[in-house]
Amino acid sequence: MSNGKSQLSQQGQSRRRAVGGMAGVALAGLLPGVATAAWKPDQNVEFLVPAGAGGALDQVGRAMKQFYDETGDAPPGKTFLVTNKPGANGKIAFDFLKQRPGDGNFLSLNTHGYIASYLTGNLDVLPHREFTTIAVLQDEYLTLAVRADSPIKNVRDLLTAMRRDAGSQRMGVATSIGNHIHVGTAKALKAGGVDIKKLVVAPFKSSSESIVALVGGHLEIVASTTPNVITMMQSGKIRLLAISSPQRLGGAFKDVPTWRESGVDSDFSSALGIIAPKGISAEQLAYWEGRCKELVEHKEWKLLVERNQSRSNFMPHAEAQAYYEREYQSMRGIVNELGLLQVKA
């Protein structure tokens, strides 16, 4: 009997150890600081750029590829692909992303431009609601340029002319009427006393095309983001009147005044962020959020930010999601004043 009791006791201890071990495994997935097997991409990662090659959005995709490749996260025989899907204000890329619910191997971009396109009815997708917001990476600023030989020498000259006749200074934007470039520039002009409902605005497929039209005399002013004006500015073909940053930038833009320095109480930035398909797992979200946080500290990313004079401004998932929603509500007002609002909520 004593031998039988000993065997039963040993069996009971074994069962308790097994149950305790399973509980420890379960708790490891719940308790912070307890190591678990983390998700990593197991196939090609495809980064969908909702714009053509060479532009500001494409540069972000290429920088992220370089970072990913250099840090060696790709499984054997797999890679990080940057696929350009321009057109339809981002809809082509976003429709493709919609077809990959729950797939953490696909990424794309979000900006204020897509918020504006949604508000104006030019896009039927609101990215921060339709997809998974991973993070915000940076803020981009807007410039307002004239030809080098323009009689408009500064913001004061511009406002004097446009207060008299808002349509006298034809403005080019890329890629659509009512996008963030249009909205951000209109915000500053309104603060400067211009009737923004009377603006004459021409859309172009790219900022490079709008700047060529400016130099050719088909426009008086062009609004664009900082990366798109550097080459033509440094060649002396265009002159920048103002930049939408809250403080003066450095680098190529060190001599360009802000709107506030020119006496206009306005600034504007477009937050560029990373999104993934809807329904990805918490582990996939955590992986990409962490990689984005590492990216903004990477040497090549810092060089890109310095060259374009954007501003690194990392926001993790929850903060970025809330930020985009606030900006959506804020942008409704100016889009409505432009007479372009097409959505109710």
Side-chain angles (χ1 to χ4, degrees), residues 290-318:
R291 297 302 277 157
C292 286
K293 186 174 183 180
E294 293 169 6
L295 169 66
V296 299
E297 296 300 326
H298 190 250
K299 62 182 186 301
E300 293 300 329
W301 178 262
K302 290 183 176 181
L303 287 173
L304 178 64
V305 168
E306 174 65 22
R307 182 169 68 249
N308 292 339
Q309 282 297 300
S310 48
R311 180 176 73 104
S312 276
N313 184 22
F314 177 78
M315 296 183 202
H317 160 70

PDB file of all heavy atoms in Angstrom, residues 290-318:
ATOM      1  N   GLY A 290       7.405  48.484 -34.194  1.00  0.00           N
ATOM      2  CA  GLY A 290       8.779  48.500 -33.711  1.00  0.00           C
ATOM      3  C   GLY A 290       9.778  48.807 -34.814  1.00  0.00           C
ATOM      4  O   GLY A 290      10.747  49.551 -34.605  1.00  0.00           O
ATOM      5  N   ARG A 291       9.529  48.257 -36.006  1.00  0.00           N
ATOM      6  CA  ARG A 291      10.435  48.501 -37.121  1.00  0.00           C
ATOM      7  C   ARG A 291      10.377  49.977 -37.554  1.00  0.00           C
ATOM      8  O   ARG A 291      11.388  50.561 -37.913  1.00  0.00           O
ATOM      9  CB  ARG A 291      10.099  47.590 -38.300  1.00  0.00           C
ATOM     10  CG  ARG A 291      10.247  46.118 -38.022  1.00  0.00           C
ATOM     11  CD  ARG A 291      11.647  45.761 -37.571  1.00  0.00           C
ATOM     12  NE  ARG A 291      12.533  45.580 -38.711  1.00  0.00           N
ATOM     13  CZ  ARG A 291      13.854  45.694 -38.649  1.00  0.00           C
ATOM     14  NH1 ARG A 291      14.433  46.055 -37.532  1.00  0.00           N
ATOM     15  NH2 ARG A 291      14.587  45.483 -39.714  1.00  0.00           N
ATOM     16  N   CYS A 292       9.196  50.560 -37.514  1.00  0.00           N
ATOM     17  CA  CYS A 292       9.067  51.977 -37.863  1.00  0.00           C
ATOM     18  C   CYS A 292       9.801  52.849 -36.853  1.00  0.00           C
ATOM     19  O   CYS A 292      10.445  53.850 -37.230  1.00  0.00           O
ATOM     20  CB  CYS A 292       7.590  52.376 -37.929  1.00  0.00           C
ATOM     21  SG  CYS A 292       6.720  51.757 -39.383  1.00  0.00           S
ATOM     22  N   LYS A 293       9.733  52.480 -35.594  1.00  0.00           N
ATOM     23  CA  LYS A 293      10.441  53.237 -34.561  1.00  0.00           C
ATOM     24  C   LYS A 293      11.944  53.171 -34.791  1.00  0.00           C
ATOM     25  O   LYS A 293      12.668  54.164 -34.614  1.00  0.00           O
ATOM     26  CB  LYS A 293      10.079  52.695 -33.176  1.00  0.00           C
ATOM     27  CG  LYS A 293      10.654  53.527 -32.032  1.00  0.00           C
ATOM     28  CD  LYS A 293      10.153  53.027 -30.695  1.00  0.00           C
ATOM     29  CE  LYS A 293      10.673  53.913 -29.560  1.00  0.00           C
ATOM     30  NZ  LYS A 293      10.186  53.450 -28.236  1.00  0.00           N
ATOM     31  N   GLU A 294      12.430  51.992 -35.212  1.00  0.00           N
ATOM     32  CA  GLU A 294      13.856  51.839 -35.515  1.00  0.00           C
ATOM     33  C   GLU A 294      14.234  52.594 -36.787  1.00  0.00           C
ATOM     34  O   GLU A 294      15.327  53.163 -36.883  1.00  0.00           O
ATOM     35  CB  GLU A 294      14.199  50.354 -35.664  1.00  0.00           C
ATOM     36  CG  GLU A 294      14.072  49.550 -34.385  1.00  0.00           C
ATOM     37  CD  GLU A 294      14.154  48.061 -34.636  1.00  0.00           C
ATOM     38  OE1 GLU A 294      14.423  47.668 -35.793  1.00  0.00           O
ATOM     39  OE2 GLU A 294      13.955  47.289 -33.690  1.00  0.00           O
ATOM     40  N   LEU A 295      13.324  52.610 -37.758  1.00  0.00           N
ATOM     41  CA  LEU A 295      13.604  53.259 -39.040  1.00  0.00           C
ATOM     42  C   LEU A 295      13.962  54.733 -38.864  1.00  0.00           C
ATOM     43  O   LEU A 295      14.901  55.230 -39.489  1.00  0.00           O
ATOM     44  CB  LEU A 295      12.392  53.128 -39.968  1.00  0.00           C
ATOM     45  CG  LEU A 295      12.411  53.963 -41.257  1.00  0.00           C
ATOM     46  CD1 LEU A 295      13.526  53.477 -42.193  1.00  0.00           C
ATOM     47  CD2 LEU A 295      11.057  53.887 -41.965  1.00  0.00           C
ATOM     48  N   VAL A 296      13.204  55.446 -38.024  1.00  0.00           N
ATOM     49  CA  VAL A 296      13.432  56.895 -37.901  1.00  0.00           C
ATOM     50  C   VAL A 296      14.755  57.215 -37.219  1.00  0.00           C
ATOM     51  O   VAL A 296      15.178  58.374 -37.199  1.00  0.00           O
ATOM     52  CB  VAL A 296      12.256  57.594 -37.164  1.00  0.00           C
ATOM     53  CG1 VAL A 296      10.961  57.420 -37.935  1.00  0.00           C
ATOM     54  CG2 VAL A 296      12.111  57.080 -35.734  1.00  0.00           C
ATOM     55  N   GLU A 297      15.442  56.192 -36.684  1.00  0.00           N
ATOM     56  CA  GLU A 297      16.767  56.383 -36.107  1.00  0.00           C
ATOM     57  C   GLU A 297      17.866  55.903 -37.042  1.00  0.00           C
ATOM     58  O   GLU A 297      19.053  56.039 -36.732  1.00  0.00           O
ATOM     59  CB  GLU A 297      16.872  55.621 -34.768  1.00  0.00           C
ATOM     60  CG  GLU A 297      15.926  56.122 -33.685  1.00  0.00           C
ATOM     61  CD  GLU A 297      16.176  57.581 -33.339  1.00  0.00           C
ATOM     62  OE1 GLU A 297      17.348  58.007 -33.381  1.00  0.00           O
ATOM     63  OE2 GLU A 297      15.206  58.296 -33.033  1.00  0.00           O
ATOM     64  N   HIS A 298      17.482  55.371 -38.198  1.00  0.00           N
ATOM     65  CA  HIS A 298      18.448  54.817 -39.149  1.00  0.00           C
ATOM     66  C   HIS A 298      19.166  55.943 -39.898  1.00  0.00           C
ATOM     67  O   HIS A 298      18.565  56.976 -40.217  1.00  0.00           O
ATOM     68  CB  HIS A 298      17.714  53.900 -40.133  1.00  0.00           C
ATOM     69  CG  HIS A 298      18.617  53.100 -41.007  1.00  0.00           C
ATOM     70  ND1 HIS A 298      18.738  53.330 -42.352  1.00  0.00           N
ATOM     71  CD2 HIS A 298      19.447  52.068 -40.725  1.00  0.00           C
ATOM     72  CE1 HIS A 298      19.593  52.470 -42.869  1.00  0.00           C
ATOM     73  NE2 HIS A 298      20.039  51.699 -41.901  1.00  0.00           N
ATOM     74  N   LYS A 299      20.432  55.753 -40.194  1.00  0.00           N
ATOM     75  CA  LYS A 299      21.249  56.822 -40.797  1.00  0.00           C
ATOM     76  C   LYS A 299      20.697  57.276 -42.142  1.00  0.00           C
ATOM     77  O   LYS A 299      20.688  58.489 -42.441  1.00  0.00           O
ATOM     78  CB  LYS A 299      22.696  56.354 -40.944  1.00  0.00           C
ATOM     79  CG  LYS A 299      22.904  55.153 -41.853  1.00  0.00           C
ATOM     80  CD  LYS A 299      24.365  54.745 -41.881  1.00  0.00           C
ATOM     81  CE  LYS A 299      24.631  53.636 -42.891  1.00  0.00           C
ATOM     82  NZ  LYS A 299      23.861  52.418 -42.627  1.00  0.00           N
ATOM     83  N   GLU A 300      20.227  56.356 -42.980  1.00  0.00           N
ATOM     84  CA  GLU A 300      19.725  56.740 -44.297  1.00  0.00           C
ATOM     85  C   GLU A 300      18.426  57.542 -44.181  1.00  0.00           C
ATOM     86  O   GLU A 300      18.172  58.451 -44.969  1.00  0.00           O
ATOM     87  CB  GLU A 300      19.513  55.506 -45.173  1.00  0.00           C
ATOM     88  CG  GLU A 300      20.802  54.784 -45.539  1.00  0.00           C
ATOM     89  CD  GLU A 300      21.758  55.671 -46.321  1.00  0.00           C
ATOM     90  OE1 GLU A 300      21.287  56.552 -47.072  1.00  0.00           O
ATOM     91  OE2 GLU A 300      22.989  55.504 -46.176  1.00  0.00           O
ATOM     92  N   TRP A 301      17.605  57.187 -43.204  1.00  0.00           N
ATOM     93  CA  TRP A 301      16.373  57.937 -42.984  1.00  0.00           C
ATOM     94  C   TRP A 301      16.692  59.362 -42.540  1.00  0.00           C
ATOM     95  O   TRP A 301      16.102  60.332 -43.020  1.00  0.00           O
ATOM     96  CB  TRP A 301      15.504  57.246 -41.936  1.00  0.00           C
ATOM     97  CG  TRP A 301      14.247  58.002 -41.633  1.00  0.00           C
ATOM     98  CD1 TRP A 301      14.021  58.857 -40.597  1.00  0.00           C
ATOM     99  CD2 TRP A 301      13.053  58.025 -42.424  1.00  0.00           C
ATOM    100  NE1 TRP A 301      12.766  59.391 -40.667  1.00  0.00           N
ATOM    101  CE2 TRP A 301      12.142  58.892 -41.777  1.00  0.00           C
ATOM    102  CE3 TRP A 301      12.660  57.381 -43.590  1.00  0.00           C
ATOM    103  CZ2 TRP A 301      10.871  59.148 -42.271  1.00  0.00           C
ATOM    104  CZ3 TRP A 301      11.383  57.624 -44.082  1.00  0.00           C
ATOM    105  CH2 TRP A 301      10.505  58.492 -43.435  1.00  0.00           C
ATOM    106  N   LYS A 302      17.654  59.499 -41.640  1.00  0.00           N
ATOM    107  CA  LYS A 302      18.033  60.831 -41.171  1.00  0.00           C
ATOM    108  C   LYS A 302      18.597  61.678 -42.305  1.00  0.00           C
ATOM    109  O   LYS A 302      18.359  62.884 -42.359  1.00  0.00           O
ATOM    110  CB  LYS A 302      19.038  60.699 -40.027  1.00  0.00           C
ATOM    111  CG  LYS A 302      18.417  60.151 -38.744  1.00  0.00           C
ATOM    112  CD  LYS A 302      19.419  60.102 -37.606  1.00  0.00           C
ATOM    113  CE  LYS A 302      18.752  59.636 -36.316  1.00  0.00           C
ATOM    114  NZ  LYS A 302      19.688  59.608 -35.174  1.00  0.00           N
ATOM    115  N   LEU A 303      19.331  61.057 -43.222  1.00  0.00           N
ATOM    116  CA  LEU A 303      19.845  61.782 -44.379  1.00  0.00           C
ATOM    117  C   LEU A 303      18.714  62.256 -45.281  1.00  0.00           C
ATOM    118  O   LEU A 303      18.741  63.380 -45.804  1.00  0.00           O
ATOM    119  CB  LEU A 303      20.813  60.895 -45.173  1.00  0.00           C
ATOM    120  CG  LEU A 303      22.186  60.653 -44.543  1.00  0.00           C
ATOM    121  CD1 LEU A 303      22.970  59.616 -45.353  1.00  0.00           C
ATOM    122  CD2 LEU A 303      22.979  61.955 -44.448  1.00  0.00           C
ATOM    123  N   LEU A 304      17.696  61.393 -45.464  1.00  0.00           N
ATOM    124  CA  LEU A 304      16.539  61.755 -46.287  1.00  0.00           C
ATOM    125  C   LEU A 304      15.782  62.928 -45.666  1.00  0.00           C
ATOM    126  O   LEU A 304      15.406  63.883 -46.364  1.00  0.00           O
ATOM    127  CB  LEU A 304      15.607  60.546 -46.439  1.00  0.00           C
ATOM    128  CG  LEU A 304      14.319  60.766 -47.244  1.00  0.00           C
ATOM    129  CD1 LEU A 304      14.644  61.095 -48.696  1.00  0.00           C
ATOM    130  CD2 LEU A 304      13.413  59.531 -47.159  1.00  0.00           C
ATOM    131  N   VAL A 305      15.568  62.871 -44.374  1.00  0.00           N
ATOM    132  CA  VAL A 305      14.869  63.947 -43.662  1.00  0.00           C
ATOM    133  C   VAL A 305      15.653  65.250 -43.765  1.00  0.00           C
ATOM    134  O   VAL A 305      15.085  66.321 -43.993  1.00  0.00           O
ATOM    135  CB  VAL A 305      14.644  63.551 -42.187  1.00  0.00           C
ATOM    136  CG1 VAL A 305      14.187  64.750 -41.357  1.00  0.00           C
ATOM    137  CG2 VAL A 305      13.613  62.430 -42.092  1.00  0.00           C
ATOM    138  N   GLU A 306      16.965  65.170 -43.626  1.00  0.00           N
ATOM    139  CA  GLU A 306      17.806  66.359 -43.719  1.00  0.00           C
ATOM    140  C   GLU A 306      17.761  66.952 -45.118  1.00  0.00           C
ATOM    141  O   GLU A 306      17.641  68.170 -45.293  1.00  0.00           O
ATOM    142  CB  GLU A 306      19.256  65.996 -43.346  1.00  0.00           C
ATOM    143  CG  GLU A 306      20.266  67.116 -43.538  1.00  0.00           C
ATOM    144  CD  GLU A 306      20.039  68.313 -42.637  1.00  0.00           C
ATOM    145  OE1 GLU A 306      19.391  68.162 -41.582  1.00  0.00           O
ATOM    146  OE2 GLU A 306      20.514  69.420 -43.002  1.00  0.00           O
ATOM    147  N   ARG A 307      17.838  66.095 -46.129  1.00  0.00           N
ATOM    148  CA  ARG A 307      17.833  66.579 -47.512  1.00  0.00           C
ATOM    149  C   ARG A 307      16.512  67.265 -47.858  1.00  0.00           C
ATOM    150  O   ARG A 307      16.481  68.323 -48.486  1.00  0.00           O
ATOM    151  CB  ARG A 307      18.096  65.412 -48.461  1.00  0.00           C
ATOM    152  CG  ARG A 307      18.159  65.819 -49.929  1.00  0.00           C
ATOM    153  CD  ARG A 307      18.684  64.701 -50.811  1.00  0.00           C
ATOM    154  NE  ARG A 307      17.772  63.579 -50.897  1.00  0.00           N
ATOM    155  CZ  ARG A 307      17.991  62.384 -50.368  1.00  0.00           C
ATOM    156  NH1 ARG A 307      19.117  62.157 -49.691  1.00  0.00           N
ATOM    157  NH2 ARG A 307      17.123  61.407 -50.479  1.00  0.00           N
ATOM    158  N   ASN A 308      15.401  66.647 -47.442  1.00  0.00           N
ATOM    159  CA  ASN A 308      14.080  67.179 -47.786  1.00  0.00           C
ATOM    160  C   ASN A 308      13.567  68.204 -46.789  1.00  0.00           C
ATOM    161  O   ASN A 308      12.539  68.842 -47.025  1.00  0.00           O
ATOM    162  CB  ASN A 308      13.069  66.033 -47.895  1.00  0.00           C
ATOM    163  CG  ASN A 308      13.346  65.128 -49.078  1.00  0.00           C
ATOM    164  OD1 ASN A 308      14.013  65.522 -50.032  1.00  0.00           O
ATOM    165  ND2 ASN A 308      12.841  63.907 -49.012  1.00  0.00           N
ATOM    166  N   GLN A 309      14.266  68.348 -45.663  1.00  0.00           N
ATOM    167  CA  GLN A 309      13.854  69.258 -44.602  1.00  0.00           C
ATOM    168  C   GLN A 309      12.423  68.993 -44.144  1.00  0.00           C
ATOM    169  O   GLN A 309      11.625  69.904 -43.918  1.00  0.00           O
ATOM    170  CB  GLN A 309      14.032  70.716 -45.025  1.00  0.00           C
ATOM    171  CG  GLN A 309      15.476  71.188 -44.954  1.00  0.00           C
ATOM    172  CD  GLN A 309      16.033  71.167 -43.540  1.00  0.00           C
ATOM    173  OE1 GLN A 309      15.533  71.834 -42.643  1.00  0.00           O
ATOM    174  NE2 GLN A 309      17.088  70.383 -43.326  1.00  0.00           N
ATOM    175  N   SER A 310      12.093  67.704 -44.054  1.00  0.00           N
ATOM    176  CA  SER A 310      10.892  67.303 -43.338  1.00  0.00           C
ATOM    177  C   SER A 310      11.278  67.136 -41.862  1.00  0.00           C
ATOM    178  O   SER A 310      12.415  67.430 -41.481  1.00  0.00           O
ATOM    179  CB  SER A 310      10.316  66.014 -43.925  1.00  0.00           C
ATOM    180  OG  SER A 310      11.319  65.037 -44.086  1.00  0.00           O
ATOM    181  N   ARG A 311      10.361  66.655 -41.048  1.00  0.00           N
ATOM    182  CA  ARG A 311      10.664  66.536 -39.618  1.00  0.00           C
ATOM    183  C   ARG A 311      10.268  65.156 -39.129  1.00  0.00           C
ATOM    184  O   ARG A 311       9.101  64.761 -39.229  1.00  0.00           O
ATOM    185  CB  ARG A 311       9.897  67.598 -38.824  1.00  0.00           C
ATOM    186  CG  ARG A 311      10.150  67.536 -37.306  1.00  0.00           C
ATOM    187  CD  ARG A 311       9.448  68.676 -36.587  1.00  0.00           C
ATOM    188  NE  ARG A 311       8.023  68.489 -36.527  1.00  0.00           N
ATOM    189  CZ  ARG A 311       7.331  68.097 -35.436  1.00  0.00           C
ATOM    190  NH1 ARG A 311       7.983  67.855 -34.318  1.00  0.00           N
ATOM    191  NH2 ARG A 311       6.021  67.978 -35.469  1.00  0.00           N
ATOM    192  N   SER A 312      11.241  64.382 -38.641  1.00  0.00           N
ATOM    193  CA  SER A 312      10.907  63.097 -38.042  1.00  0.00           C
ATOM    194  C   SER A 312       9.980  63.329 -36.859  1.00  0.00           C
ATOM    195  O   SER A 312      10.251  64.185 -36.009  1.00  0.00           O
ATOM    196  CB  SER A 312      12.170  62.364 -37.584  1.00  0.00           C
ATOM    197  OG  SER A 312      12.757  61.661 -38.645  1.00  0.00           O
ATOM    198  N   ASN A 313       8.888  62.596 -36.806  1.00  0.00           N
ATOM    199  CA  ASN A 313       7.899  62.798 -35.748  1.00  0.00           C
ATOM    200  C   ASN A 313       7.189  61.472 -35.504  1.00  0.00           C
ATOM    201  O   ASN A 313       6.022  61.298 -35.862  1.00  0.00           O
ATOM    202  CB  ASN A 313       6.894  63.878 -36.161  1.00  0.00           C
ATOM    203  CG  ASN A 313       5.905  64.200 -35.059  1.00  0.00           C
ATOM    204  OD1 ASN A 313       6.159  63.947 -33.880  1.00  0.00           O
ATOM    205  ND2 ASN A 313       4.753  64.742 -35.430  1.00  0.00           N
ATOM    206  N   PHE A 314       7.910  60.527 -34.913  1.00  0.00           N
ATOM    207  CA  PHE A 314       7.359  59.185 -34.729  1.00  0.00           C
ATOM    208  C   PHE A 314       6.194  59.187 -33.749  1.00  0.00           C
ATOM    209  O   PHE A 314       6.287  59.738 -32.656  1.00  0.00           O
ATOM    210  CB  PHE A 314       8.442  58.228 -34.227  1.00  0.00           C
ATOM    211  CG  PHE A 314       7.923  56.844 -33.950  1.00  0.00           C
ATOM    212  CD1 PHE A 314       7.688  55.962 -34.992  1.00  0.00           C
ATOM    213  CD2 PHE A 314       7.641  56.449 -32.656  1.00  0.00           C
ATOM    214  CE1 PHE A 314       7.186  54.695 -34.749  1.00  0.00           C
ATOM    215  CE2 PHE A 314       7.147  55.178 -32.400  1.00  0.00           C
ATOM    216  CZ  PHE A 314       6.916  54.295 -33.451  1.00  0.00           C
ATOM    217  N   MET A 315       5.084  58.587 -34.177  1.00  0.00           N
ATOM    218  CA  MET A 315       3.937  58.355 -33.301  1.00  0.00           C
ATOM    219  C   MET A 315       3.576  56.881 -33.409  1.00  0.00           C
ATOM    220  O   MET A 315       3.350  56.382 -34.520  1.00  0.00           O
ATOM    221  CB  MET A 315       2.720  59.164 -33.733  1.00  0.00           C
ATOM    222  CG  MET A 315       2.858  60.656 -33.661  1.00  0.00           C
ATOM    223  SD  MET A 315       1.277  61.443 -34.124  1.00  0.00           S
ATOM    224  CE  MET A 315       1.843  63.072 -34.599  1.00  0.00           C
ATOM    225  N   PRO A 316       3.500  56.146 -32.308  1.00  0.00           N
ATOM    226  CA  PRO A 316       3.094  54.744 -32.367  1.00  0.00           C
ATOM    227  C   PRO A 316       1.621  54.609 -32.729  1.00  0.00           C
ATOM    228  O   PRO A 316       0.890  55.601 -32.825  1.00  0.00           O
ATOM    229  CB  PRO A 316       3.379  54.240 -30.956  1.00  0.00           C
ATOM    230  CG  PRO A 316       3.284  55.457 -30.102  1.00  0.00           C
ATOM    231  CD  PRO A 316       3.780  56.602 -30.949  1.00  0.00           C
ATOM    232  N   HIS A 317       1.203  53.382 -32.906  1.00  0.00           N
ATOM    233  CA  HIS A 317      -0.126  53.061 -33.442  1.00  0.00           C
ATOM    234  C   HIS A 317      -1.264  53.859 -32.820  1.00  0.00           C
ATOM    235  O   HIS A 317      -2.002  54.558 -33.527  1.00  0.00           O
ATOM    236  CB  HIS A 317      -0.381  51.559 -33.269  1.00  0.00           C
ATOM    237  CG  HIS A 317      -1.821  51.165 -33.329  1.00  0.00           C
ATOM    238  ND1 HIS A 317      -2.557  51.201 -34.496  1.00  0.00           N
ATOM    239  CD2 HIS A 317      -2.686  50.754 -32.355  1.00  0.00           C
ATOM    240  CE1 HIS A 317      -3.798  50.817 -34.248  1.00  0.00           C
ATOM    241  NE2 HIS A 317      -3.897  50.546 -32.969  1.00  0.00           N
ATOM    242  N   ALA A 318      -1.444  53.750 -31.513  1.00  0.00           N
ATOM    243  CA  ALA A 318      -2.615  54.363 -30.867  1.00  0.00           C
ATOM    244  C   ALA A 318      -2.592  55.885 -31.004  1.00  0.00           C
ATOM    245  O   ALA A 318      -3.613  56.512 -31.311  1.00  0.00           O
ATOM    246  CB  ALA A 318      -2.680  53.953 -29.396  1.00  0.00           C
TER     247      ALA A 318
END
